[in-house]
Amino acid sequence: MKRGTFRKKSQKLLLATLALGVATPVIAIPATNAEAATVTTFKDVPKSHWAYQSISEVAKKGLVTGYSDGTYKPSAQVTRAEFATFLSRIFDGKDRTTAKFTDVSSHWAKDAIQEGLAVGFIQESDYANNKFEPNKPMTRGEMSRWLANGLAHANPEYAKAIEEMANSSLTLIPIPEFYKGGVNKKDLPYIGVMLATGLLSGYEDFSFKPNGNTTRAEVATILIRFMDTLKKAPSDFTGLQELLEVANTGTNILTISNYKKTKYTGYEGVLGKPHTHENKGVATIERAIFVDTTGSKAKGIYKDMFFNGEPYSLNKNVYMVFYEYTLVPSRDVSIQSIANGSLEGYASSFNVDKSKCEQFNISSPKNVYDNVFKKGENYRYWASQVVINRSGIPLKGRADDNSLFYYEIPQ
């Protein structure tokens, strides 16, 4: 079989179609280029299929093609070679970077892979021993890297966002795998961009499953979203701004609430600094995550990580804030005991919902009344409190060195 140079879009379509016949273990004759250009509906994708509209759209755009037997194979897994081809059609650039991979020199997707390297959605450093393994199914973690790097190519602000989350010890991505494990830490910033932009979402249990694969039906929807996201900036996504604020300051308060900093510092001024509770021990604030519960539905990218249920029923005009603390008690104490008479912000009165603790592997006391904190032990845990959304009531606290966090709602 002769290999084309992919310089013309028609050649890209033909070779990618041939590749789908090889990568998917089914008996099917790949569509010819003429057929690929006209076929936009497939006999195995009825109008009732959840991805019917997206599949029809990517077929019309020539991004993903089907087979000459009239099928699309919506449940087939997408390989690296295929996804490189799909993204190369979106960028449709002329630049190429010669691949050092030893297993793509004669592969049908060689040109698309070289374009991916030039654009940057493929990074050679992500693959060991100069092996690309083009026919290997894409993982969701890998797809996150490619898509996020593609956004970074289109807009340097995405590259900056990825770098900020990658280099911060405060970064918090709202997936169970963050605390449970099962995710490469290098992938967390990319997964954060996926969740915040809606390019990839979690499952019903909120897990991301970074090692899972993606089907041809799913990738059709992803490609449509990706083309739309390419037109937008990181500032267009509130969730991404929350993630970045947390990475930079340990809180999302300014993004998700009406609170503002005035002449004083915010949480970033006290993070990790000791605050001594009189006769109760020494605590620090490590993070302060807000969920907007002022309306009929909770809002914020972290809401499913910490908040379970409807907004606070007695007063809709409140925020829920979830603090991550460290604590060394000077005597046996409970959450309630610490909170009584303590400076606000350094001792929350409520634990985190048990189901969320189990789901996201969050550490929080099982109840608020028992003396679960033992004298002299070191603890790191989450607790919550209610904050009233009203001007004239500042949110403030002070560390032992007089470092201050102070927020207020302007009148």
Side-chain angles (χ1 to χ4, degrees), residues 237-258:
F237 300 98
T238 301
L240 185 51
Q241 297 310 299
E242 286 186 73
L243 295 180
L244 292 174
E245 188 184 354
V246 169
N248 288 308
T249 67
T251 184
N252 58 339
I253 184 173
L254 299 180
T255 303
I256 202 65
S257 79
N258 292 328

Side-chain angles (χ1 to χ4, degrees), residues 275 277 338-339 341-348 385 396-399 405:
H275 167 80
H277 295 296
I338 296 173
S342 294
L343 191 65
E344 60 182 305
Y346 277 95
S348 299
Q385 71 181 56
K396 62 186 188 302
R398 192 183 299 273
F405 72 84

Side-chain angles (χ1 to χ4, degrees), residues 69 212 232 339:
D69 63 356
K232 300 178 180 179

